[in-house]
Amino acid sequence: MNPTAAYDRILERTLEAERAVLGAVLVDPTRYDDAADVLGAGDWFRQAHRLIWQAFEKLASSGQSIDGLVVTNTLTPADLDEVGTATPLLDWCSLRHETQYTRLFRS
């Protein structure tokens, strides 16, 4: 096998794993603590995924729920530009945290 093709295959699997972890936490935020026991911000290959994880960390440390809309509102405009194509990951999450949405709406 061509070394470049092998690297590309490993890279794609890494990105799939990153998306799977982020998606699992967005679908079930209670999974964050287990994932955070193993992963930190420096473990993410893709910068967009790292930014999303850092938003998770910020929300978790402040006791807020992890949710696609709340994560999006946590990111800076520059971070949102970097996240770009990862936003579908944030968009498809269910809207389960209406109390936090109410606070966002009022602010």
Side-chain angles (χ1 to χ4, degrees):
M1 177 182 283
N2 175 333
T4 302
Y7 175 79
D8 289 345
R9 180 171 285 160
I10 292 168
L11 177 59
E12 184 54 37
R13 288 183 183 154
T14 299
L15 295 176
E16 287 174 13
E18 289 186 3
R19 286 188 294 267
V21 171
L22 295 174
V25 172
L26 286 166
V27 169
D28 181 3
T30 63
R31 293 177 170 221
Y32 170 79
D33 289 333
D34 291 334
D37 286 343
V38 178
L39 300 171
D43 294 318
W44 299 87
F45 178 79
R46 186 169 179 214
Q47 175 66 8
H49 295 165
R50 184 176 305 114
L51 293 169
I52 293 168
W53 185 259
Q54 288 171 326
F56 287 2
E57 291 175 328
K58 182 177 180 179
L59 292 169
S61 70
S62 66
Q64 296 182 58
S65 298
I66 295 172
D67 175 273
L69 180 62
V70 179
V71 168
T72 300
N73 282 301
T74 301
L75 298 169
T76 67
D79 290 347
L80 285 170
D81 286 343
E82 179 69 35
V83 168
T85 59
T87 52
L89 181 67
L90 301 174
D91 292 340
W92 58 256
C93 295
S94 62
L95 304 176
R96 295 168 294 160
H97 305 287
E98 60 281 341
T99 304
Q100 283 192 260
Y101 295 140
T102 303
R103 283 190 219 119
L104 285 171
F105 182 73
R106 289 181 53 193
S107 61

